[in-house]
Amino acid sequence: MNTSTSRPLGGSTSTRPPAATTLSSLLAQANSLNEVEYDSELPQIRFGIDDIERMSEAVAGRGKRTKNEKGEGFNLLSNLGVNTSQLTHNIAQLPSAEPSARPRRRRHHVQQQQTRLEPLGDIGPAYAVGDADIGAWGRNWHEMIILGGIEAQRQKTINTFQKQFQQRLLQNWEIEKARVLQDELGVTDDELAGLTGSSNGASGLASSTLGRSALGASTRRFPMAQSSLGKSSSESREGGLVMHTKMVRYERVIGELNQRRLRKEPFELCQALEETVKGDSKYPLLPTAYHLLAHLTQEPSLRDSLDGYASASDASYAPGEPVQERQYAAAYLGDQRSNHATLLRGRLVMGGRRFLERDFERHVDETIAKNPKEAALGGVPGIRNKIRAFVDVTLRSKDVRDAYRSESVNGSLLWAQTYYLVRCGYINEALNLVAENQNHIAREDWTFPGAFKSALQSSERRLPKSQRDQLYNDFNAHIRNNPNVDQFKYALYKLVGRFELNRKALKVATTTEDWMWVQLSLVRENKDGDAPQEQYDLVDLAKLVTKYGNDKFDANGTRPFAWFNLLLFTAQFEKAIAYLYSKPQLKTDAMHFAIALSYYGLLRVSAKGEEAELLLTDDADVSYLNFPRLIKQYISPFFRLEPQTALQYAYLVALAADAPNPAVGQKQKQLALELVRDIVLASRSWSKLLGSVRADGSKETGIIERDLQLLKLTDEQDYLRQVVLAAAEQSSLDSSLTDSIELYHLAGAYDQVVEAVNRSLGHSLGLSSSQPLSSDAQSIGLSGAFGGVNDVYGLAQRVHDVYEKDFAKRTRVSKIHWETLEVLLQLKLALSQFAADRPDLALETFKSTHLLPLDNDPTSISRYAQRFRDMLDQPVISNLDEVIVTTMKCLHMLSQQLKASPYGDHGRMVQLNVYKHQAQCLIQFASTLRLRLGPDVYRQLSSMSAFF
C-alpha cells in the first residue's frame, strides 16, 4: 500500500499504529520506568497490559449484550403480556440519572478551586466505568461522604472561631475605646453610657479591666469636667464643676484624716464626709447615708447626744470613749463565732436602730409642722405630747382608724401612742404611759404591762420564761387570730414577746424604714436559751434582705440609696460599696464610703492583687472588696499633676495591713507601697516627695518620709528599701537613667549608682561627648548632688568626684565597679581626644588604662588577655572592639605622620619601630580574644598593619 499518495486532512504523514504495537510500547515503557528509582512526581501504573485487555473485553461484551440480548427479564415480561417494546421505548426516553447517582472523578481545576483532598485508597476502575466494579464505586462513594463530613465540620469550626474572634475583638475595642474616652478625652460616665447605648455595652464595661492597668492613663485633673466629646454645653460644665467641688472637699477631709492619724488622734470621719456633701441637690439622701454610717460606727458626738441607750451588751465599748482607727477590725475580720464578733454585731444593730428612731422623730416633727391646726400642740411640749399630736394628725380620719382598728383607752389611743414612743426610742416615756393607764387596760391585757417593763429594761430585751409563756397564752387567746384587734397593740405584743418570727411583717410598718426597724428590734445576737424557732440574728436578717434583692427596693435605679442603706443596716458593707460603685455618678462617693469603713475596720479586703474583680465571694458566702483597685482608679486622672493629693489616698491602702490573716495584711501593705512607688515614678518630684541628698552629704526630708507611719513602715531603712530602692529598681528596668541614678543615690545604694552610670557610659562611648541624656533629662534635670549635668560623660564625672571625696560612700562601691568607672572615663577621654584629631594624646590615654599591651613587652600579652577575661566589667568588654580599632588608628596615623616628615634621623626610625612593635602586640592580643571580637576588627587591623 502506497501511503505516500494519500494524506489525512490534518496534514500528518504518519498513520495510526496497530493496537498491539501501541500496547507493547506501553508495556516496554512501563518496564523501563519500574527499573529506575522511584520518583514521587512520576505517574504509577496500576494495571498491567493483560488486565487492561481483559477489562476492555468485558466492557465490550457487556455493551453488546445490553444492545443485542433481551435477557431473562425481557422474556418474563413478554410471557406475562407486557408490551416490552413500548416499555423499552419509554425507558429509553427517561433522562439519565447517572451523573447525579454516581460520583465522578474530580478534576484538577475543581480541586484547586474548592481546596479539597482527593479520596484516599485505590478506587479502581469505578472512575472510568460506572457498573464494572461495585466495590470500587462503593469505596469511592464512602470516601466522598467521609470527606464531605470532615469538610462540613471544618467549615463549622472555622465559622465558630471567626465569630468568637470577632466578638472578642469588638469587646476589647469597646473597653479600649471607653478607656481612651474617659482618660484621654475626659468623657463623663453618663456620656459614655449614652455612647454605648445598649445593655451589652454596659455589661461589657462593668466586667472589663478598665482602671486595672498601672497608673499612667491620663494627665487631666478632673476629666469629669469635660463636656460631651469636646463639645461644650452648660449642663456638662455645671456637672463637671459640681464634681470638681465635691472632689476638692473630699480631699480636704482625707488630708485632715491622715494628719489626725499621724498624731494618733481619733477622727469622726463619717460626719466630716457628711458635711462635705450636705446640700447635694442631685442625691439628697447621700448625706443621710453618711449619717447612718456614723450611727453604725457610733461616733462619739452622736453617741453622747443620745441618753438612755447604754446597755450591758456594749460593755466593751464604753459610750464615753472615742472610736479609734481600726477599732472594729479584730471583731469584724476575725472569727465570727467569737464574743467580740457577737458584741460588734449587737453594736451595729443598736446603731442602726438608733438612726431609724432619730429619723422617725424628725418625721414626727415635720408632720406636726405641716398640720399645726390638727396637731394643736402649743407651748414647748415634751415627747409624749408630740406623739399624741402626731397620732391625732395621722389617725384623724375614720378610714385610717378603721384600717388600724385603733382602740381607745381612757379617752386616748394608748396603743398607738405607746408604739410610736417605742418607735422613736423613748423607752422610759413609753413605760410611764402604760403604767399610768394600767388600770384602764382591758382584763385580757393585764399581763402586758409587766412583760413590757421586763423586756424593755433588759439588756437583750429578753423575758423570763414564765412571763413569756403567760404573755404568749394571752397573745394566742385574744390577739393572734382576732380580726378586730388594734394593729398597734398587735405590733407591741410581737415586739415584746418575739412571737411568730416566721411572720415578721407588721401592718403598722408601712415604709422600708419601719420594716427595717422592726427587724432590728427582733434581732438578738445572744442565742443562749432560745429555741430554734426563736433564733433570729443579724446574719439571718442579711440573708432575708439579700433574698428580696435590689429590684424590690430600687426597681428603676432611681433610688440607689434605698438598697445601699439596707445593705449597711445588715452589715453587708462590701456588697453595699460594690452596688454603689456600679452607679457611674456615685463612684466617687462609693470610694469614700469604702475609706470610712476601712478606717474603722469594717471592710474585708482580698489577698489578691488590684487586678482582681471588684467584689469577690468565697465558698462560705463571705464577700471581699478590692479596695486598692478603687483607690487606684480614683487617683489615676490626677496623680501626675497632684502627686501629694494622690499620696494621701495611696496611704489608705495600708489601713488593712493589720488584718488577722497575715497574707492579706502583707499584701495590702505591699500594694500601698507599689502605688506610692508608681506615683513617685510618674510625677518625678524627687526632692518634694522623697527628699534629696546634697553634695556635702546633708539631707532634705521628703513628704513620704514624714508619713512613714501611714505606710506601716518602722524606720528610715525600711522606707529606703521598700519605697526608694524599689522605685529605683523599677526605673532601672524602664531604662530611665536619670530616675534610677537619683533614686539609687537617695536610697544609699551607691554601688548601684556607679553600676548604672557604667552601663550608660559604656553604651555612649561611641557617641559624641555632648550627647544628651534624654529629652526628659533636659527638661527635668537631676537634683541634689548631681544637679546641673546634661550628658552621660558629665554625669559620670560628677558621680566619680562626689564619691571620691566621700570615703563613706566610696567604701560602699564595689572594687570592680569603681575600677570600671575610672577605665570608662579614661576611654571616653581618649575617644574624645582622637575625635579632636589628637592621636598622640589619645594613645597615651589608652596606654594609661592598662587595658592593651602597649608597653612593648610581648610576654605581657597573655597577662593582659587574662586580666581582660577575669577582672573587667561588661561595659568595658562590650566596647573593646572600638577601643582596639581606635588605638590601631592612632598608631597608624602617628606612623604615617613620621613617615611623611622631611627629617630623617635615628630617633624617627626608633619611634617607627616602636609603633610597629605596638601594632604587632595589639594584633597578637586581638588574636587571643578571637571569639570576643567582631570579624570586622581583624580586617581593619590587618589592613592597617600593612602600612607599618
Side-chain angles (χ1 to χ4, degrees), residues 521-823:
S521 298
L522 295 174
V523 162
R524 180 187 293 165
E525 289 299 322
N526 189 355
K527 304 176 183 178
D528 296 340
D530 290 342
Q533 67 273 14
E534 298 175 2
Q535 295 180 0
Y536 185 54
D537 58 8
L538 188 59
V539 176
D540 298 326
L541 176 57
K543 292 179 181 178
L544 178 63
V545 171
T546 304
K547 181 180 178 181
Y548 285 136
N550 64 300
D551 291 338
K552 184 176 179 62
F553 301 95
D554 185 22
N556 299 323
T558 57
R559 300 173 63 242
F561 287 100
W563 178 247
F564 176 74
N565 290 346
L566 289 180
L567 294 175
L568 291 183
F569 279 124
T570 54
Q572 301 183 80
F573 302 123
E574 297 79 15
K575 293 181 180 179
I577 299 301
Y579 171 76
L580 198 63
Y581 195 77
S582 65
K583 308 298 180 181
Q585 293 297 328
L586 294 172
K587 287 185 176 182
T588 299
D589 305 293
M591 200 269 297
H592 287 86
F593 273 108
I595 291 174
L597 290 168
S598 182
Y599 172 71
Y600 287 116
L602 294 173
L603 194 68
R604 294 186 182 93
V605 294
S606 174
K608 297 183 179 180
E610 47 84 19
E611 297 83 3
E613 295 298 327
L614 180 63
L615 185 67
L616 301 174
T617 305
D618 60 10
D619 298 335
D621 199 26
V622 178
S623 299
Y624 300 88
L625 189 74
N626 195 340
F627 184 60
R629 180 180 169 188
L630 294 182
I631 297 294
K632 196 167 189 178
Q633 287 184 348
Y634 180 76
I635 66 175
S636 60
F638 60 86
F639 75 103
R640 290 180 183 272
L641 300 181
E642 299 184 22
Q644 297 181 62
T645 303
L647 282 175
Q648 299 301 314
Y649 285 93
Y651 294 154
L652 301 174
V653 178
L655 279 169
D658 60 350
N661 187 347
V664 176
Q666 185 62 30
K667 183 64 177 180
Q668 296 302 306
K669 178 180 177 180
Q670 189 62 35
L671 289 174
L673 294 174
E674 291 177 2
L675 194 55
V676 169
R677 181 200 65 194
D678 292 341
I679 294 172
V680 169
L681 290 176
S683 64
R684 298 184 180 180
S685 302
W686 315 129
S687 57
K688 183 184 296 183
L689 302 182
L690 300 176
S692 61
V693 179
R694 303 181 182 89
D696 58 359
S698 59
K699 184 177 180 181
E700 180 181 352
T701 304
I703 295 176
I704 299 178
E705 190 172 356
R706 294 195 296 266
D707 300 336
L708 293 185
Q709 298 179 15
L710 303 180
L711 289 172
K712 310 299 181 182
L713 298 178
T714 56
D715 53 17
E716 181 182 0
Q717 294 302 319
D718 197 14
Y719 154 72
L720 293 176
R721 182 179 69 257
Q722 301 260 19
V723 178
V724 184
L725 189 58
E729 292 173 350
Q730 182 62 43
S731 63
S732 179
L733 293 176
D734 296 339
S735 300
S736 177
L737 176 64
T738 56
D739 297 353
S740 61
I741 290 295
E742 192 159 4
L743 290 173
Y744 277 133
H745 185 71
L746 286 173
Y750 307 121
D751 190 45
Q752 283 89 336
V753 172
V754 176
E755 182 182 8
V757 170
N758 290 344
R759 186 168 58 250
S760 180
L761 185 58
H763 292 161
S764 66
L765 276 184
L767 303 176
S768 173
S769 61
S770 61
Q771 182 72 20
L773 289 172
S774 64
S775 59
D776 293 339
Q778 291 178 345
S779 59
I780 298 175
L782 289 163
S783 61
F786 307 137
V789 298
N790 58 359
D791 62 84
V792 177
Y793 183 57
L795 175 61
Q797 286 181 317
R798 181 68 61 83
V799 170
H800 183 272
D801 295 341
V802 170
Y803 290 174
E804 190 176 34
K805 296 176 181 178
D806 194 328
F807 181 76
K809 295 182 176 62
R810 169 66 182 82
T811 54
R812 295 172 63 178
V813 180
S814 62
K815 181 180 179 182
I816 186 172
H817 288 159
W818 186 258
E819 291 180 351
T820 301
L821 175 61
E822 292 183 330
V823 169

Side-chain angles (χ1 to χ4, degrees), residues 437-454:
N437 294 275
Q438 184 172 358
N439 295 330
H440 302 282
I441 296 177
R443 180 180 297 272
E444 60 267 18
D445 298 321
W446 279 2
T447 57
F448 177 79
F452 186 58
K453 183 176 181 180
S454 299

Side-chain angles (χ1 to χ4, degrees), residues 800-854:
H800 183 272
D801 295 341
V802 170
Y803 290 174
E804 190 176 34
K805 296 176 181 178
D806 194 328
F807 181 76
K809 295 182 176 62
R810 169 66 182 82
T811 54
R812 295 172 63 178
V813 180
S814 62
K815 181 180 179 182
I816 186 172
H817 288 159
W818 186 258
E819 291 180 351
T820 301
L821 175 61
E822 292 183 330
V823 169
L824 288 174
L825 288 173
Q826 290 295 98
L827 292 178
K828 187 68 175 179
L829 176 61
L831 293 174
S832 301
Q833 292 171 343
F834 177 78
D837 201 18
R838 290 301 305 270
D840 53 338
L841 298 179
L843 182 62
E844 291 299 322
T845 307
F846 280 130
K847 187 176 181 180
S848 64
T849 61
H850 302 290
L851 287 179
L852 305 175
L854 300 176

Side-chain angles (χ1 to χ4, degrees), residues 176-432:
E176 184 64 18
K177 181 175 70 174
R179 187 195 66 79
V180 173
L181 290 175
Q182 284 185 320
D183 296 339
E184 302 298 340
L185 301 180
V187 177
T188 66
D189 292 317
D190 288 340
E191 293 166 353
L192 185 62
L195 289 175
T196 56
S198 65
S199 59
N200 293 335
S203 62
L205 285 175
S207 59
S208 70
T209 56
L210 186 63
R212 297 185 191 175
S213 60
L215 293 176
S218 173
T219 57
R220 295 180 181 272
R221 176 60 183 91
F222 296 106
M224 287 74 70
Q226 293 289 73
S227 59
S228 301
L229 298 177
K231 297 180 180 181
S232 176
S233 66
S234 59
E235 182 179 357
S236 61
R237 285 196 299 270
E238 182 180 355
L241 182 60
V242 171
M243 182 62 68
H244 183 177
T245 305
K246 178 189 289 188
M247 294 175 70
V248 171
R249 291 176 179 174
Y250 272 140
E251 289 164 6
R252 292 173 183 169
V253 174
I254 299 304
E256 177 64 20
L257 169 66
N258 286 325
Q259 293 301 315
R260 294 287 189 93
R261 293 175 61 202
L262 287 174
R263 298 194 298 265
K264 296 188 180 302
E265 297 177 359
F267 185 59
E268 295 183 341
L269 179 57
C270 297
Q271 294 183 71
L273 295 173
E274 179 187 355
E275 291 295 328
T276 299
V277 296
K278 270 190 176 179
D280 193 312
S281 58
K282 190 171 184 180
Y283 296 101
L285 293 180
L286 177 58
T288 305
Y290 278 119
H291 197 65
L292 165 60
L293 191 57
H295 274 85
L296 293 176
T297 56
Q298 300 200 15
E299 291 184 347
S301 61
L302 291 177
R303 235 174 12 192
D304 297 340
S305 65
L306 304 175
D307 298 328
Y309 282 88
S311 64
S313 62
D314 291 328
S316 61
Y317 305 105
E321 295 180 359
V323 183
Q324 302 294 332
E325 174 185 339
R326 305 289 294 178
Q327 178 166 329
Y328 307 124
Y332 184 76
L333 305 177
D335 186 5
Q336 296 304 296
R337 296 168 298 182
S338 65
N339 292 332
H340 283 288
T342 302
L343 291 174
L344 174 61
R345 290 193 294 271
R347 185 184 180 96
L348 294 174
V349 168
M350 181 174 294
R353 196 168 66 241
R354 288 174 180 174
F355 169 81
L356 292 171
E357 291 165 355
R358 299 281 71 74
D359 184 67
F360 188 79
E361 186 178 358
R362 284 191 292 271
H363 170 66
V364 169
D365 294 335
E366 292 173 358
T367 303
I368 294 174
K370 291 178 181 178
N371 302 274
K373 185 177 180 180
E374 293 82 357
L377 190 58
V380 183
I383 185 61
R384 286 177 55 176
N385 197 19
K386 283 202 302 185
I387 293 299
R388 190 271 312 158
F390 175 76
V391 170
D392 290 344
V393 171
T394 56
L395 301 180
R396 66 178 179 270
S397 67
K398 184 177 183 301
D399 294 338
V400 176
R401 293 196 180 191
D402 291 342
Y404 290 113
R405 302 289 193 271
S406 301
E407 178 182 341
S408 177
V409 177
N410 193 21
S412 64
L413 300 179
L414 174 65
W415 302 110
Q417 294 181 22
T418 303
Y419 172 80
Y420 284 125
L421 282 172
V422 176
R423 178 68 179 87
C424 290
Y426 291 93
I427 305 300
N428 294 329
E429 286 75 4
L431 291 174
N432 294 333

